[in-house]
Amino acid sequence: MSFLPVLLAMQGAVSQGVLWGIMTLGVYVTYKVLDFADLTVDGSFALGGAVSAVFFVNGMNPFLSLLMAFIAGGLAGLVTGLLNTKLKIPGILAGILTMIALYSVNIRIMGKSNLPFGKMPTMVTCLDFLGFSKVTTALILGVAFSAVIIALMYWFFGTEIGCAIRATGNNEKMVRAQGVNTDTMKIIGLVISNALVALSGAMVSQSQGYADVGMGTGTIVIGLASVIIGEVVMGKHFGFWYLLASVVVGSVIYRIIIAVVLQLGLETSDLKLLTAIIVAVALSVPVMKKNYQRFAKKRVKIRNSSESAENIK
């Protein structure tokens, strides 16, 4: 077997992994920071692709269309937040309702289920003057956007509002007792999360050359898998910025795993099964590590007790 196709697939996987990593940052905000099970992302990811596609196909600068997608995603998160905080609909159900509604909204926006870009200039082709391949250009853009977003998130979650959002996820009752409006904090967190997810959807759609109403299917699972893989592989060191960076690294690792397995002959129809297995394994690693540490401690205690007993004899 030639390794060239595998290397080329891995290069594309790294490029896509960084672009999808922006989505994973959004999932991290709700899943880890806010402790909110938000399923809106399956719809807001496709929403970002649809909004960006319609705007720049109709003449808008492709980079400016990313801003439109970012705003649209924030509005989707706002709807989920209002359903949960004002109408008291459980978080999971509120996300599902918004996700289902966005399927019809996305078709309305595009006018059809799939919108190819043809020869329209995208954010990737606009930078052809750099002389890089499309894959390399997409990778450069993804790294640049990810770095800026991580820096902004690191700054924001260090502010008073950002700390209040993190505290809401840690202990909502305590924060409410301190006079913080936890409903507002949840809404802000959901807006930020889905805005980032939509931005990622817009960048992925421009990278692949089309927007599709079903492109967000399984996004939440991919996002959770990337978050967990990043934590397991990178660990928890240094500070909050490191955790954010590990999320993007986890997304890249996930894409590399998928690309390599596909090159080894796995059918594309089995990707959902593979994703489920990856998530299950990644989730079980911390538990297995704790059990091993407990077992090691017990062995040390038994060894010390036996040695002390021999010394007494």
Side-chain angles (χ1 to χ4, degrees), residues 148-166:
V148 171
I149 291 171
I150 289 174
L152 290 175
M153 290 179 67
Y154 179 73
W155 167 79
F156 174 77
F157 284 104
T159 63
E160 186 175 348
I161 295 177
C163 289
I165 294 174
R166 295 170 69 177

Side-chain angles (χ1 to χ4, degrees), residues 246-311:
S246 69
V247 166
V248 179
V249 173
S251 177
V252 173
I253 294 174
Y254 171 82
R255 286 290 159 186
I256 291 176
I257 293 173
I258 296 296
V260 171
V261 172
L262 285 176
Q263 287 296 317
L264 294 177
L266 185 73
E267 298 291 335
T268 55
S269 58
D270 296 329
L271 285 180
K272 300 298 182 185
L273 175 61
L274 177 62
T275 300
I277 294 174
I278 292 174
V279 174
V281 171
L283 283 171
S284 64
V285 167
V287 178
M288 294 173 62
K289 188 182 294 185
K290 287 183 180 179
N291 291 337
Y292 175 77
Q293 291 175 348
R294 291 176 182 174
F295 177 73
K297 288 181 179 179
K298 287 183 179 179
R299 290 189 62 181
V300 171
K301 288 182 179 179
I302 293 174
R303 187 188 307 160
N304 292 336
S305 61
S306 61
E307 289 178 354
S308 59
E310 290 179 359
N311 293 331

Side-chain angles (χ1 to χ4, degrees), residues 32 39 58 71 76 95 100 107 116 126 131 158 202 204 279:
K32 284 293 186 178
L39 300 182
N58 286 280
I71 295 173
I100 293 173
I107 294 179
C126 282
V204 169
V279 174

Side-chain angles (χ1 to χ4, degrees), residues 122-135:
T122 64
M123 65 174 192
V124 177
T125 57
C126 282
L127 300 178
D128 282 343
F129 64 89
L130 295 177
F132 298 113
S133 65
K134 291 183 178 180
V135 174

Side-chain angles (χ1 to χ4, degrees), residues 22-23 26 38 40-41 44-45 47-48 66-78 149 188-202:
I22 297 174
M23 175 276 297
D38 181 30
T40 312
V41 295
S44 57
F45 187 84
L47 174 66
L66 297 180
L67 176 61
M68 298 296 106
F70 184 84
I71 295 173
L75 292 176
L78 175 64
I149 291 171
I188 294 175
L190 287 166
V191 167
I192 294 173
S193 171
N194 285 278
L196 291 174
V197 171
L199 174 63
S200 176

